[in-house]
């Protein structure tokens, strides 16, 4: 089989991915094996691959490929999320470009456009994941708006409503004026923004006296229903029962007393706008105040805004401040830093708004989720520090606003039949709803024409919280074979930013509908940042195109580059150089394979002892490393598992083992060593495969002709056996001995082809097991043990062992003595300067501890070097 001189990632990757797909290696069906299942965090259906996806899905692929090798029935379910807000916004924008307004369309017409958009652009990200090597069971690909997935969502809504957990309420909600929908509390991000405090004068009716209120939102004075003061505030006791006139609109409103007011804050006078502040609403309910909503759904002012009608709230803020100033009602303005709620999706400033919405009670749903993670640890978060975040969110949870004023998504299955707020029923279908209405009203003459379905859609998270169950049909048919086999899943890999949005809610749903945890382990990745620690974004231009990276470095190179810096929960400082390091590693492994395959093999040559010892050592080192790798995986230290594999293959296999067993120039290798080396290489490929699937499959298939059943992807993980620790320790000592020989050869310009003699005083009682390896790697003609120092020799130490290399004829003795004397003189001078610092009490007591420690190390190193130089000098004289 022809082996290319260079590893060509692009051709190799497409070849083997097609091969894996053709032979259905990714597909899983229930059988007698133990299952290992993971579900992909479904990306937005119209999204494209970014670096966060790359990291997250690389980790998932490592886990699923390793599980496959370990003999599990591995099932990785892919899919996409309909992403109500994001997708509807894109469709609305596209329609706008065509001169079409959403408001001009019926729901059905709009949904046709949305489905056209989804079918045209949806799923691109899944195709991109294939370039990365993601070994998902593509036959199982799900979409949260698939008919069976939507049916699951509707069934759960009806069930929770019938249990009394879902209710309709008129509440103050978070309104996103750009997306024109409500948001849950968790979808609101609070940011500190520089604003102003506007001190506005309200005239007391029937007098020339004024009260002053301070507000950050002067535009909302048009919705004021009262001015409130604390009942114990002596400054305002004389105003009890009086009224004030709101500037500009000249509305007369009462002065009320309520102990909510903080007397020390601002002027102690509070404007009350029940339609636009949650606290004001509560005050309004206590005092039966009028509710005046001044905003349209896009946060422009409505008719209550008077001459500002149709203008944006922020435009009005500036203009109304000018008008207040003109009429003498604006006393002063002050700079003020305050926290402003913004939409996680659109970044728009959130507007508190009163609205009829659907809510899910959380008090009981949350209890098993707290117990599972924080008490019983049935579900483990990695890293564990996120337990604190999880606890904070769950212990401070509020009822979940699950309705959205959108059309793209599962339509709420509530059906109205009259004018009253309670004239509705909840059912899975229109037909079932009609039966319920007929029973409720006693009117059998009603038809579906008399019913109107709620216009709102459900929050996207209300579908994805069922994901681990619904992808296996567990909601619609809890007794089906696949659900009972694959659920609960094993691991979940996701970002900490959706720990509450998604992870916690899946746990709620799991215990509510299966009385089981949805997964056992949650691996929380960090954010991918650039090397300046900035979050990657299009606006900063610091987010590389993942597909460009794959073209440049190969998928394996990018996977390695990402994982080398990706410890759980910590942000990743991404640098393209890491991908270059991954590519170099791939080339290193490829060249090692080509070296092995390029050797001529002889059946007649006896195996050298150096090769026999090398094989025994590497097998011990391999076993020790694979034990470490298993430990790293058990703790979800994926980066550490890769680094252990990387060092084993690069340092131990390529740099040491191959040097120890390679034949002499133009000489054959013995068949026994060659056979064992191929077996060792295959084991290396097995543990490297989860990280670098393409490279390893390519080499595996080049090693020998393989049947479809013998592909690396379905091979087996190496077995762990007892480790010979003594052999590993002896080799560590041996590497220092060899390093000493190489240093002397380099310093004294003794060519490697020139054999030298090595004599040893073995004070350490080191085993002679590796003597044959030392002879080979040092090109030693004769290795002997002596009891006395050797005259006329270069020397070095490894611990208390002394090593002598007689140099008669190898070097010019007089020149060497002069050179050593010069180096000795310099080193003694250096030592004197260091000791001068250390004898200075002021320096030792005043300098940082680490600086003093560094100086002491310099002193110790210089003393050791002087001793070695003096020994070498004595040996030459």
């Amino acid at each position: 089989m022809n082996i290319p001189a260079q590893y060509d990632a692009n051709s190799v990757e497409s070849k083997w991915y097609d091969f894996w797909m053709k032979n259905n290696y990714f597909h899983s069906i229930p059988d007698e094996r133990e299952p290992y299942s993971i579900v992909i965090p479904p990306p937005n259906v119209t999204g494209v691959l970014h670096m966060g996806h790359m990291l997250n899905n690389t980790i998932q692929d490592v886990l699923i490929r390793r599980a496959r090798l370990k003999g599990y029935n591995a099932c990785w379910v892919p899919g996409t999320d309909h992403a109500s807000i994001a997708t509807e916004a894109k469709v609305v924008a596209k329609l706008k470009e065509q001169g079409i307004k959403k408001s001009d369309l019926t729901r059905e017409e709009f949904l046709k456009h949305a489905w056209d958009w989804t079918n045209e652009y949806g799923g691109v990200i899944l195709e991109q994941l294939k370039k990365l090597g993601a070994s998902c069971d593509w036959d199982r690909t799900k979409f949260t708006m698939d008919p069976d997935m939507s049916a699951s969502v509707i069934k759960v809504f009806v069930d929770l409503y019938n249990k009394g957990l879902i209710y309709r309420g008129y509440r103050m909600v978070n309104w996103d004026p750009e997306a024109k929908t409500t948001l849950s509390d968790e979808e609101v991000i609070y940011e500190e923004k520089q604003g102003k405090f506007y001190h506005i004068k309200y005239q007391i009716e029937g007098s020339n006296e004024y009260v002053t209120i301070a507000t950050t939102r002067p535009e909302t004075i048009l919705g004021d229903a009262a001015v409130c003061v604390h009942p114990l505030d002596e400054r305002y006791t004389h105003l009890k029962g009086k009224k004030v006139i709101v500037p500009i609109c000249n509305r007369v409103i009462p002065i009320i007393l309520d102990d909510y007011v903080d007397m020390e804050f601002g002027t102690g006078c509070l404007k009350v706008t029940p339609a636009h502040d949650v606290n004001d609403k509560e005050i309004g309910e206590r005092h039966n105040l009028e509710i005046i909503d001044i905003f349209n759904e896009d946060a422009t002012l409505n008719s209550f805004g008077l001459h500002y009608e149709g203008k944006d709230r922020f435009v009005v803020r500036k203009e109304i401040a000018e008008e207040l100033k003109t009429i003498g009602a604006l006393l002063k303005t002050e700079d003020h830093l305050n926290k402003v709620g913004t939409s996680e999706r659109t970044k728009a400033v959130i507007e508190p708004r009163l609205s009829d919405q659907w809510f899910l009670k959380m008090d009981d749903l949350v209890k098993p989720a707290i117990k599972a993670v924080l008490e019983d640890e049935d579900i483990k978060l990695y890293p564990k520090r996120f337990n604190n975040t999880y606890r904070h969110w769950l212990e401070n949870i509020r009822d979940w606003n699950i309705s959205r004023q959108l059309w793209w998504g599962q339509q709420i299955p509530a059906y109205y039949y009259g004018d009253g707020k309670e004239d509705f029923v909840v059912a899975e279908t229109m037909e079932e709803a009609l039966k319920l209405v007929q029973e409720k009203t006693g009117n059998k003459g009603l038809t579906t024409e008399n019913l109107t379905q709620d216009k709102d859609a459900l929050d996207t998270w209300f579908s994805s919280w069922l994901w681990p169950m619904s992808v296996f049909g567990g909601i619609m048919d809890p007794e089906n074979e696949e659900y009972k086999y694959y659920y609960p899943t094993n691991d979940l890999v996701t970002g900490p930013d959706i720990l509450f949005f998604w992870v916690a809610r899946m746990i709620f749903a799991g215990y509510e509908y299966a009385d089981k945890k949805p997964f056992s382990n949650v691996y929380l990745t960090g954010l991918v940042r650039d090397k300046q620690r900035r979050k990657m974004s299009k606006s900063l231009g610091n987010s590389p195109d993942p597909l460009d990276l794959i073209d440049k470095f190969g998928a394996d190179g990018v996977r390695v580059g990402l994982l080398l810096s990706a410890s759980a929960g910590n942000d990743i400082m991404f640098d393209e150089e890491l991908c270059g390091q991954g590519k170099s590693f791939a080339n290193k492994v490829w060249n090692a394979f080509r070296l092995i395959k390029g050797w001529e093999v002889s059946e007649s040559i006896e195996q050298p002892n150096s090769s026999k010892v090398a094989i025994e050592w590497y097998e011990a080192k391999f076993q020790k490393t694979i034990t470490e790798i298993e430990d790293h995986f058990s703790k979800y230290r994926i980066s550490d598992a890769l680094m252990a594999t990387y060092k084993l293959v690069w340092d131990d296999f390529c740099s040491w083992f191959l040097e120890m067993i390679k034949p002499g120039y133009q000489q054959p290798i013995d068949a026994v060593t060659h056979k064992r080396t191929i077996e060792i290489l295959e084991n290396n490929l097995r543990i490297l495969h989860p990280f670098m699937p393409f490279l390893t499959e390519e080499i595996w298939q080049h090693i020998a002709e393989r049947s479809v059943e013998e592909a690396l992807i379905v091979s087996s993980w190496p077995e762990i056996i007892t480790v010979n620790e003594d052999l590993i320790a002896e080799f560590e000592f041996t590497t220092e001995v060899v390093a000493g020989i190489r240093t002397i050869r380099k310093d004294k310009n003794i060519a490697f082809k020139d054999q030298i003699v090595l004599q040893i005083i073995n004070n350490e009682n080191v085993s002679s097991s590796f003597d044959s390896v030392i002879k080979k790697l040092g090109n030693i003609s004769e290795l002997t043990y002596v009891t006395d120092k050797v005259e006329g020799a270069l020397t070095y130490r490894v611990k208390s062992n002394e090593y002598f290399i007689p140099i008669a004829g190898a070097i010019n003795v007089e020149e060497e003595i002069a050179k050593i004397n010069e180096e000795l003189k310099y080193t003694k001078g250096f030592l004197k300067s260091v000791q001068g610092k250390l004898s200075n009490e002021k320096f030792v007591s005043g300098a940082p501890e680490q600086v003093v420690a560094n100086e002491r190390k310099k002193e110790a190193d210089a003393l050791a070097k002087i001793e070695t130089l003096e020994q070498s000098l004595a040996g030459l004289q």
Side-chain angles (χ1 to χ4, degrees):
M1 193 182 290
N2 181 42
I3 301 171
Q6 301 292 326
Y7 175 65
D8 181 5
N10 289 336
S11 63
V12 164
E13 288 164 8
S14 56
K15 175 177 70 176
W16 291 117
Y17 204 87
D18 290 346
F19 172 77
W20 294 329
M21 290 285 284
K22 178 184 172 185
N23 290 289
N24 236 13
Y25 293 121
F26 306 159
H27 186 53
S28 171
I29 56 173
D31 60 25
E32 71 287 347
R33 291 174 295 168
E34 184 179 342
Y36 174 88
S37 56
I38 54 179
V39 292
I40 198 171
N44 288 2
V45 65
T46 58
V48 292
L49 200 62
H50 58 60
M51 296 306 293
H53 294 130
M54 292 278 279
L55 172 65
N56 184 289
N57 287 282
T58 294
I59 292 168
Q60 289 177 81
D61 196 49
V62 167
L63 294 174
I64 207 78
R65 286 181 182 273
R66 178 171 172 270
R68 214 176 269 127
L69 288 169
K70 289 178 80 70
Y72 293 98
N73 188 351
C75 179
W76 181 12
V77 181
T80 50
D81 188 278
H82 63 277
S84 295
I85 295 175
T87 304
E88 183 150 326
K90 287 180 179 178
V91 175
V92 168
K94 184 189 176 192
L95 291 172
K96 190 176 180 181
E97 288 173 8
Q98 298 170 1
I100 303 171
K101 291 181 180 177
K102 178 187 171 185
S103 56
D104 293 338
L105 300 175
T106 65
R107 188 187 199 104
E108 289 68 29
E109 288 169 341
F110 178 81
L111 289 178
K112 184 180 183 305
H113 284 287
W115 276 109
D116 288 346
W117 170 274
T118 300
N119 292 331
E120 184 177 353
Y121 298 102
V124 169
I125 192 167
L126 298 184
E127 290 303 310
Q128 292 175 324
L129 284 177
K130 293 176 181 178
K131 297 281 187 188
L132 184 66
S135 57
C136 301
D137 186 346
W138 299 109
D139 294 340
R140 294 181 176 276
T141 303
K142 302 299 286 185
F143 175 43
T144 50
M145 287 277 281
D146 285 343
D148 61 322
M149 302 292 279
S150 286
S152 298
V153 173
I154 299 304
K155 183 175 182 177
V156 164
F157 182 98
V158 174
D159 177 67
L160 292 171
Y161 176 79
N162 289 335
K163 289 174 179 174
L165 295 176
I166 285 179
Y167 63 93
R168 186 162 170 78
Y170 187 63
R171 299 283 183 85
M172 183 72 72
V173 294
N174 305 300
W175 183 261
D176 181 337
E178 188 168 318
K180 298 183 180 66
T181 182
T182 58
L183 301 177
S184 65
D185 293 335
E186 294 74 31
E187 291 168 297
V188 179
I189 309 299
Y190 286 91
E191 300 173 353
E192 283 200 336
K193 293 196 175 186
Q194 187 65 53
K196 291 185 182 298
F197 246 145
Y198 299 83
H199 292 255
I200 304 169
K201 297 192 297 183
Y202 286 54
Q203 186 177 357
I204 296 168
E205 187 184 32
S207 97
N208 292 323
E209 194 180 348
Y210 291 85
V211 293
T212 303
I213 61 97
T215 179
T216 58
R217 306 189 62 197
E219 68 278 11
T220 63
I221 66 171
L222 302 176
D224 285 355
V227 166
C228 187
V229 296
H230 197 283
L232 301 180
D233 194 333
E234 295 178 356
R235 292 172 295 175
Y236 302 115
T237 50
H238 67 290
L239 298 179
K240 184 179 178 181
K242 295 192 176 181
K243 295 180 179 180
V244 296
I245 302 167
V246 180
I248 298 177
C249 68
N250 296 319
R251 183 185 306 118
V252 177
I253 58 175
I255 295 173
I256 60 173
L257 308 180
D258 196 290
D259 57 14
Y260 169 78
V261 179
D262 180 355
M263 289 187 281
E264 304 301 317
F265 185 74
T267 63
C269 276
L270 178 75
K271 64 189 281 304
V272 183
T273 318
H276 300 296
D277 183 273
V278 66
N279 297 311
D280 288 11
K281 177 179 176 285
E282 290 176 4
I283 295 171
E285 287 173 349
R286 287 196 292 273
H287 296 272
N288 198 27
L289 297 177
E290 183 183 3
I291 293 172
I292 305 163
D293 185 349
I294 66 168
F295 290 126
N296 296 311
E297 63 177 10
D298 62 354
T300 57
L301 271 70
N302 60 23
S303 59
F304 285 107
L306 305 176
H307 46 286
Y308 294 109
E309 183 176 1
K311 290 187 177 183
D312 181 76
R313 56 189 163 159
F314 297 120
V315 172
V316 174
R317 183 172 300 174
K318 291 179 181 177
E319 292 183 0
I320 208 167
E322 283 300 316
E323 184 174 355
L324 289 166
K325 189 176 179 181
T326 301
I327 64 175
L330 183 63
L331 193 65
K332 64 176 178 175
T333 60
E334 297 172 324
D335 288 337
H336 177 66
L337 192 66
N338 64 327
K339 284 193 172 182
V340 177
T342 59
S343 167
E344 187 221 10
R345 288 285 183 192
T346 66
K347 311 306 177 192
V349 172
I350 293 302
E351 196 61 56
R353 193 179 197 210
L354 282 167
S355 177
D356 279 311
Q357 301 292 333
W358 292 89
F359 296 88
L360 174 59
K361 294 178 183 177
M362 301 307 299
D363 291 348
D364 292 331
L365 286 175
V366 80
K367 289 173 184 173
I370 291 174
K371 187 171 185 288
V373 175
L374 302 173
E375 296 171 17
D376 299 343
E377 293 193 346
D378 283 344
I379 300 172
K380 293 183 173 67
L381 305 184
Y382 295 90
K384 194 172 182 177
R385 69 171 186 271
F386 282 107
N387 280 16
N388 294 330
T389 307
Y390 183 88
R391 180 188 296 279
H392 175 76
W393 276 337
L394 267 61
E395 289 182 350
N396 294 280
I397 200 165
R398 294 168 65 179
D399 287 356
W400 177 8
N401 173 8
I402 56 174
S403 49
R404 297 290 178 271
Q405 288 60 57
L406 300 167
W407 284 350
W408 179 240
Q410 284 89 14
Q411 192 172 354
I412 289 175
Y415 298 85
Y416 299 89
Y417 58 87
D419 297 328
K421 278 195 173 185
E422 299 304 314
D423 293 347
F424 68 86
V425 296
V426 170
E428 290 182 45
T429 65
M430 176 77 82
E431 290 69 32
E432 289 175 26
L434 180 60
K435 288 179 187 175
L436 291 173
V437 171
Q438 288 174 343
E439 289 170 12
K440 194 172 178 181
T441 62
N443 184 353
K444 299 295 182 185
L446 293 174
T447 69
T448 54
E449 296 293 320
N450 302 112
L451 303 186
T452 304
Q453 189 172 352
D454 195 301
K455 291 182 173 59
D456 288 353
L458 284 159
D459 181 7
T460 302
W461 297 109
F462 194 82
S463 59
S464 53
W465 79 319
L466 306 175
W467 186 250
M469 291 183 284
S470 57
V471 295
F472 296 118
I475 298 295
M476 301 308 292
D477 181 13
E479 295 303 312
N480 85 75
E481 180 193 14
E482 293 212 334
Y483 179 59
K484 291 168 83 171
Y485 181 74
Y486 292 115
Y487 187 91
T489 64
N490 295 72
D491 297 325
L492 179 75
V493 182
T494 190
D497 53 328
I498 54 174
L499 178 57
F500 182 81
F501 286 137
W502 192 45
V503 179
R505 286 168 175 167
M506 283 189 288
I507 298 172
F508 303 159
Y511 283 106
E512 179 67 18
Y513 284 99
D515 199 23
K516 289 179 184 174
K517 60 186 177 183
F519 29 71
S520 296
N521 306 291
V522 181
Y523 178 100
L524 297 159
T525 66
L527 286 172
V528 182
R529 298 181 179 275
D530 66 14
K531 55 188 176 183
Q532 297 175 44
R533 305 189 71 87
R534 299 178 302 176
K535 187 175 179 179
M536 287 191 168
S537 68
K538 287 180 183 177
S539 59
L540 286 174
N542 63 344
S543 183
D545 183 328
L547 298 184
D548 289 346
L549 291 177
I550 289 173
D551 284 341
K552 186 175 179 181
F553 300 106
D556 290 333
V558 176
R559 289 165 69 114
V560 168
L562 276 167
L563 289 175
L564 282 176
S565 58
S567 55
N570 296 321
D571 288 352
I572 290 89
M573 303 303 116
F574 179 75
D575 187 343
E576 275 195 28
E577 287 180 15
L578 292 169
C579 296
Q581 188 177 339
K583 183 178 181 179
S584 297
F585 184 41
N587 289 333
K588 182 82 170 178
V589 177
W590 180 257
N591 290 333
F593 159 66
R594 286 185 68 245
L595 176 70
I596 295 165
K597 289 296 280 186
W599 289 332
E600 181 187 341
V601 182
S602 171
E603 297 284 347
S604 60
I605 300 175
E606 191 177 336
Q607 184 184 38
N609 187 63
S610 57
S611 295
K612 179 175 178 291
V613 171
I615 290 167
E616 289 172 354
W617 160 73
Y618 189 80
E619 286 177 339
K621 182 69 175 181
F622 181 89
Q623 286 300 324
K624 182 175 183 181
T625 303
I626 199 172
T627 303
E628 291 171 6
I629 290 168
E630 290 289 340
D631 181 58
H632 291 318
F633 271 112
S634 73
K635 294 167 182 170
Y636 292 83
R637 297 200 298 248
I638 313 296
S639 180
D640 292 343
L642 170 60
M643 185 52 76
T645 309
Y646 182 99
K647 287 179 177 176
L648 175 76
V649 174
W650 187 297
D651 297 341
D652 298 312
F653 181 73
C654 296
S655 300
W656 284 106
F657 177 73
L658 292 182
E659 286 297 310
M660 290 155 73
I661 58 108
K662 79 176 181 184
Y665 179 64
Q666 292 188 337
Q667 298 296 309
I669 189 170
D670 68 279
V672 173
T673 299
H674 189 263
K675 180 174 181 291
R676 293 295 297 115
T677 300
I678 291 294
E679 291 169 0
I680 284 170
L681 173 61
E682 287 180 335
N683 272 338
N684 286 346
L685 295 176
R686 285 182 169 101
I687 64 170
L688 192 53
H689 177 76
F691 304 105
M692 307 181 82
F694 295 109
L695 168 76
T696 52
E697 188 75 73
E698 173 77 355
I699 295 174
W700 180 268
Q701 299 285 352
H702 268 299
I703 288 172
E705 292 289 338
R706 316 267 190 184
S707 67
V708 168
E709 293 75 27
E710 293 171 329
L712 177 57
I713 189 174
V714 287
S715 179
S716 58
W717 192 257
E719 287 185 28
I720 296 178
I721 57 175
T722 307
V723 177
N724 186 339
E725 293 281 1
D726 291 342
L727 206 55
I728 294 170
E730 287 169 17
F731 181 73
E732 289 300 314
F733 195 91
T734 300
T735 60
E736 293 187 52
V737 175
V738 172
I741 296 168
R742 288 173 173 171
T743 299
I744 284 178
R745 280 187 175 278
K746 182 184 175 186
D747 290 350
K748 310 310 176 191
N749 293 317
I750 304 171
F752 184 77
K753 64 182 176 61
D754 298 332
Q755 289 197 318
I756 55 177
V757 171
L758 183 67
Q759 295 174 304
I760 307 167
I761 297 178
N762 191 10
N763 295 323
E764 291 282 332
N765 291 317
V766 175
S767 165
S768 60
S769 304
F770 283 93
D771 283 2
S772 59
V773 171
I774 294 170
K775 288 183 73 175
K776 178 169 184 177
L777 296 181
N779 196 12
I780 307 297
S781 59
E782 183 185 343
L783 186 154
T784 57
Y785 289 85
V786 297
T787 54
D788 298 316
K789 294 183 185 295
V790 178
E791 300 296 324
L794 296 170
T795 183
Y796 68 95
R797 284 174 177 264
V798 177
K799 295 188 178 173
S800 64
N801 269 17
E802 293 185 66
Y803 295 84
F804 302 93
I805 299 173
I807 42 78
I811 61 170
N812 184 312
V813 175
E814 288 184 4
E815 283 182 8
E816 189 61 30
I817 289 172
K819 188 175 176 183
I820 291 173
N821 275 322
E822 188 178 337
E823 194 170 354
L824 199 55
K825 182 181 177 183
Y826 170 81
T827 308
K828 285 180 176 179
F830 175 77
L831 176 64
K832 187 177 179 182
S833 69
V834 171
Q835 288 177 331
K837 279 186 185 179
L838 292 172
S839 63
N840 184 334
E841 194 176 321
K842 190 175 180 181
F843 169 77
V844 173
S845 60
E849 190 177 326
Q850 187 57 49
V851 171
V852 176
N854 289 342
E855 292 301 314
R856 293 199 191 284
K857 187 176 185 305
K858 288 178 188 176
E859 180 186 38
D861 290 345
L863 287 167
K865 188 172 183 180
I866 289 168
E867 184 184 2
T868 301
L869 289 169
E870 286 177 340
Q871 285 179 356
S872 293
L873 199 59
L876 293 171
Q877 289 172 335

